[in-house]
Amino acid sequence: MMEKADSGQKLCTGMRLWEFPDQYIVQPTDGSSGSLLAISRSDGTLKLIDALPECSKLRVPKIRTIFGVIGMLKLLAGSYLIVITERECVGSYMGHPIFKISSLKILHCNHALQNSPVEQKKMETEFSEFLNVAENTPGLYFSYETNLTLSCQRLHELGDESKSLPLWRQADPRFLWNNYLLELLIDNKLDSYLLPVIQGSFQHFQAAIEKDIVDVTLIARRCSRRNGTRMWRRGADSDGYVANFVETEQIIQMHGNTASFVQVRGSMPFTWKQIVDLTYKPKFEIVKPEEAPRIAERHFLDLRKTYRSVLAIDLVNKHGGEGRLSEKFANAMQRVTSDDVRYVHFDFHHICGHVHFERLSILYEQIEDFLEKSGYLLLNEKGEKLKEQLGVVRTNCIDCLDRTNVTQSMIGRKVLEWQLRRMGVFSAEETIESHANFDDNFKIVWANHGDDISIQYSGTPALKGDFVRYGQRTAQGILNDFKNSLMRYYLNNFVDGTKQDAIDLLQGHYIISVSRDLRAPSHQGGFEAVASFPVALSVVLAGIFLSVVSLRQGPLTFQRALFSLLCAGMSIGIAAFVKANGRVFCNRPRLHKPH
């Protein structure tokens, strides 16, 4: 077994929340701390106290059980405390219980807002509405005992001094979802309340292979540096941080031995975007193309520092709009490729089509030598390192969801077979497919893994998930892909703009500042004041419908032709207006400054 990465100070694992009229009190109930945390409901001031205040008929508190403090967000006049009200144990990581957050609660500490100017009250209300989105953030996980932000190999490499630090100080800031929200608690030295949280996925199963019980865990860690939604976060920023960057770790444990294999995914590392404009697939736009080589170089430098050597697999189409992006990526990689960095392009759609995913074997033949050389982590029952992973495969498509997940699951399957042969479970030619129960469970965890990552980025489960889940394409799977594609279109255009604002606020990518020229968000007049994408889309469809009905009523007359032309013209006009003013309908306040 791997030794524990115990922190110097224990986290509170059980708490009681007392809601007094003037303050919130968080009382540890697990004996981890003798002090109570008091939060002013006026301005969010934090302090430790020794005892509960006295209750009276005029001060009757509400009492509830909570399981952790996520952090605190400060807006214009008030502060907002975020706590865990429900949790679910989903498994263990290196012997430590792992919990999924089932429910969050936002506690308003903004009584001082009553004395604020009218405009400031109005703005505070608008910004605080974004916090309602935060309460529904999917895929949040935590542990009171171990550091979920670090892979097994990085945990094993921690020195004694690092192991004695509080968990939040051991954490990799890339994967610390509540990094920004913890700042006020850190400033007040509230270590026993500083709970690190990751966003991603945690899947686990146990299965028998003959007389051996194999424990398999699949963890996704989403990077918070360029977090966001599908159409609103693409490409990289100037520092090389990419959208939808996720580290995936596959762990197996058996007879006290532990093996781990890490892969990563992330958007193509240069600045590009798609502007939401009501079209099904908005045009790709490369921003500052001359900067692409520098940004790619910075991105892969960071990857090499963490994972050593890197193999980049680019799965996008060779032609069309995707082809332009792939060409730019390939050109940028000419400055980056070296003995430690390789680039492979594999046109997934051209080679595999929509059903022949078994042709991924062609890709495997191209990358097998890298996988063998980079290897995986292997620890014996004493926690001693027998083998380590010396490189990582970085996979991307356009969204880094559907094609990427199919490819990563194939790589994960191949490496798992190597590991089982090394542990003496499999013979030289034995495969996972020859053990039906194990194979089914393996497919399920990878399909669930892909769905979790996809829901966080696109709002829907992954496409092509039936192949990962069942090993083949199915009619129901193709139908689900069609349904999920339509849902993605709706979410991209009508929902994700607001969701992106909420993410930016929670992650500290934008900080609200109080300035002398502070004004409420400007509101559009006339049609723009009431317009929204759903309304506009309904009007467009109604116009088309009326045109068709009119033309089918009977012989074409001048009046009928004129009416049809007017309806069609109205539809085209509104569609053009919406496309030209797409972001009017997802209008968001811009009274923040970069962090």
Side-chain angles (χ1 to χ4, degrees):
M1 287 293 292
M2 186 174 168
E3 67 178 287
K4 290 187 178 183
D6 292 328
S7 59
Q9 183 169 3
K10 288 188 176 181
L11 284 166
C12 297
T13 59
M15 286 153 276
R16 188 176 292 120
L17 177 68
W18 299 72
E19 299 183 34
F20 289 95
D22 59 338
Q23 62 182 338
Y24 296 109
I25 306 290
V26 178
Q27 177 190 26
T29 56
D30 58 357
S32 59
S33 174
S35 300
L36 292 74
L37 175 61
I39 307 102
S40 167
R41 296 183 69 166
S42 176
D43 57 8
T45 302
L46 301 165
K47 65 178 180 180
L48 292 175
I49 59 175
D50 296 326
L52 281 167
E54 292 187 9
C55 303
S56 66
K57 291 182 179 180
L58 298 177
R59 284 173 57 86
V60 179
K62 294 180 182 178
I63 305 172
R64 73 171 80 193
T65 298
I66 63 173
F67 300 98
V69 177
I70 293 288
M72 179 173 277
L73 182 67
K74 188 171 181 59
L75 298 183
L76 288 168
S79 295
Y80 301 82
L81 186 72
I82 308 175
V83 298
I84 302 169
T85 54
E86 293 180 33
R87 69 181 185 187
E88 173 191 0
C89 187
V90 292
S92 63
Y93 179 53
M94 311 313 296
H96 303 283
I98 304 302
F99 298 92
K100 181 178 182 178
I101 296 176
S102 305
S103 179
L104 293 174
K105 179 69 175 175
I106 310 293
L107 303 176
H108 293 227
C109 307
N110 59 358
H111 288 181
L113 191 62
Q114 297 172 1
N115 302 319
S116 300
V118 174
E119 292 295 330
Q120 192 165 317
K121 287 181 182 178
K122 190 174 182 180
M123 286 188 61
E124 183 85 5
T125 300
E126 292 187 12
F127 282 118
S128 63
E129 287 175 357
F130 290 135
L131 298 180
N132 297 330
V133 179
E135 286 188 332
N136 299 313
T137 301
L140 300 181
Y141 298 85
F142 68 92
S143 172
Y144 299 113
E145 300 176 6
T146 192
N147 194 338
L148 266 183
T149 68
L150 298 182
S151 66
C152 290
Q153 182 160 313
R154 297 183 68 196
L155 273 176
H156 188 269
E157 292 170 350
L158 283 179
D160 292 338
E161 184 177 347
S162 296
K163 291 176 183 177
S164 67
L165 296 173
L167 286 180
W168 70 269
R169 293 193 64 185
Q170 299 176 22
D172 184 337
R174 295 179 304 161
F175 304 125
L176 186 57
W177 179 81
N178 56 334
N179 193 17
Y180 176 64
L181 297 173
L182 289 176
E183 286 187 0
L184 286 173
L185 278 72
I186 292 170
D187 292 343
N188 285 272
K189 298 180 172 57
L190 302 171
D191 282 353
S192 59
Y193 294 96
L194 290 165
L195 181 65
V197 174
I198 69 166
Q199 185 180 33
S201 179
F202 188 95
Q203 305 294 327
H204 169 263
F205 75 90
Q206 281 186 334
I209 299 179
E210 295 181 355
K211 295 180 180 180
D212 297 306
I213 301 298
V214 182
D215 191 298
V216 179
T217 301
L218 195 60
I219 303 176
R221 304 175 178 95
R222 177 176 294 282
C223 181
S224 62
R225 294 287 172 81
R226 190 166 168 76
N227 203 356
T229 56
R230 180 171 170 253
M231 287 293 182
W232 299 80
R233 278 293 177 272
R234 293 294 208 188
D237 62 18
S238 59
D239 294 320
Y241 296 118
V242 297
N244 202 22
F245 185 86
V246 180
E247 178 184 272
T248 293
E249 182 177 20
Q250 180 178 279
I251 305 163
I252 63 167
Q253 293 176 285
M254 190 186 64
H255 302 323
N257 298 307
T258 300
S260 160
F261 177 69
V262 170
Q263 304 181 65
V264 297
R265 69 178 75 192
S267 193
M268 284 179 277
F270 52 91
T271 48
W272 61 277
K273 62 183 180 180
Q274 284 178 284
I275 301 298
V276 175
D277 60 3
L278 262 190
T279 58
Y280 179 73
K281 194 171 183 179
K283 290 182 179 179
F284 300 109
E285 181 181 341
I286 299 174
V287 183
K288 296 182 179 178
E290 70 280 359
E291 286 283 291
R294 182 193 65 79
I295 294 172
E297 194 170 24
R298 174 67 183 271
H299 175 74
F300 280 92
L301 177 62
D302 288 344
L303 290 182
R304 287 174 57 201
K305 286 179 180 177
T306 304
Y307 305 104
R308 306 182 193 180
S309 60
V310 184
L311 170 64
I313 301 176
D314 181 13
L315 300 173
V316 304
N317 299 347
K318 191 174 183 180
H319 302 289
E322 290 191 12
R324 289 179 52 242
L325 295 180
S326 182
E327 182 181 8
K328 176 57 68 175
F329 189 13
N331 291 338
M333 289 301 293
Q334 290 179 7
R335 260 178 57 175
V336 179
T337 51
S338 64
D339 292 340
D340 294 328
V341 180
R342 278 178 56 190
Y343 170 82
V344 173
H345 179 260
F346 182 82
D347 191 331
F348 188 103
H349 284 153
H350 176 71
I351 297 172
C352 298
H354 294 287
V355 293
H356 295 294
F357 296 166
E358 72 281 355
R359 293 175 184 170
L360 280 170
S361 59
I362 299 170
L363 172 63
Y364 178 69
E365 290 172 359
Q366 297 179 51
I367 66 174
E368 184 178 8
D369 60 332
F370 178 88
L371 292 172
E372 290 177 345
K373 184 179 178 182
S374 58
Y376 52 85
L377 174 72
L378 180 62
L379 305 175
N380 65 17
E381 63 275 6
K382 297 179 181 179
E384 298 168 338
K385 184 164 61 178
L386 305 180
K387 187 178 176 65
E388 64 180 332
Q389 186 170 343
L390 301 173
V392 73
V393 176
R394 180 203 190 277
T395 308
N396 75 268
C397 47
I398 290 297
D399 299 327
C400 304
L401 296 176
D402 314 315
R403 288 171 278 184
T404 295
N405 204 61
V406 172
T407 303
Q408 285 197 336
S409 68
M410 178 272 292
I411 295 171
R413 174 181 289 264
K414 294 292 186 182
V415 173
L416 181 55
E417 289 172 347
W418 293 353
Q419 293 167 337
L420 291 172
R421 291 184 192 117
R422 173 67 185 265
M423 291 180 176
V425 180
F426 277 4
S427 62
E429 301 301 322
E430 203 168 355
T431 65
I432 291 174
E433 287 182 355
S434 59
H435 300 273
N437 183 51
F438 189 88
D439 188 31
D440 289 344
N441 280 290
F442 180 83
K443 290 172 183 173
I444 288 169
V445 295
W446 266 100
N448 292 343
H449 175 86
D451 286 346
D452 286 346
I453 294 172
S454 180
I455 287 168
Q456 292 157 27
Y457 189 53
S458 73
T460 77
L463 308 185
K464 305 176 178 67
D466 54 334
F467 180 82
V468 180
R469 193 175 297 276
Y470 305 115
Q472 60 184 3
R473 294 248 61 184
T474 65
Q476 183 62 50
I478 293 170
L479 185 62
N480 287 340
D481 283 0
F482 176 71
K483 178 185 70 176
N484 288 329
S485 294
L486 291 179
M487 180 56 70
R488 286 184 182 183
Y489 171 80
Y490 171 79
L491 294 172
N492 296 158
N493 286 284
F494 311 150
V495 176
D496 285 350
T498 299
K499 186 177 177 182
Q500 185 65 56
D501 284 336
I503 292 171
D504 287 341
L505 207 56
L506 287 172
Q507 301 290 312
H509 299 319
Y510 293 101
I511 298 178
I512 302 167
S513 61
V514 181
S515 60
R516 293 168 60 185
D517 60 345
L518 191 63
R519 296 181 181 89
S522 60
H523 295 281
Q524 307 294 337
F527 176 70
E528 295 177 16
V530 297
S532 68
F533 269 141
V535 172
L537 185 61
S538 298
V539 173
V540 170
L541 293 176
I544 294 172
F545 174 76
L546 290 173
S547 298
V548 173
V549 170
S550 176
L551 290 171
R552 292 170 62 96
Q553 287 296 311
L556 185 64
T557 64
F558 175 77
Q559 290 86 353
R560 189 171 290 120
L562 181 61
F563 178 76
S564 299
L565 285 172
L566 287 173
C567 290
M570 176 184 68
S571 300
I572 295 169
I574 292 174
F577 175 81
V578 169
K579 181 172 181 178
N581 299 274
R583 290 188 63 146
V584 168
F585 306 106
C586 292
N587 190 38
R588 59 196 204 182
R590 293 196 172 275
L591 292 168
H592 14 50
K593 60 183 180 180
H595 179 43

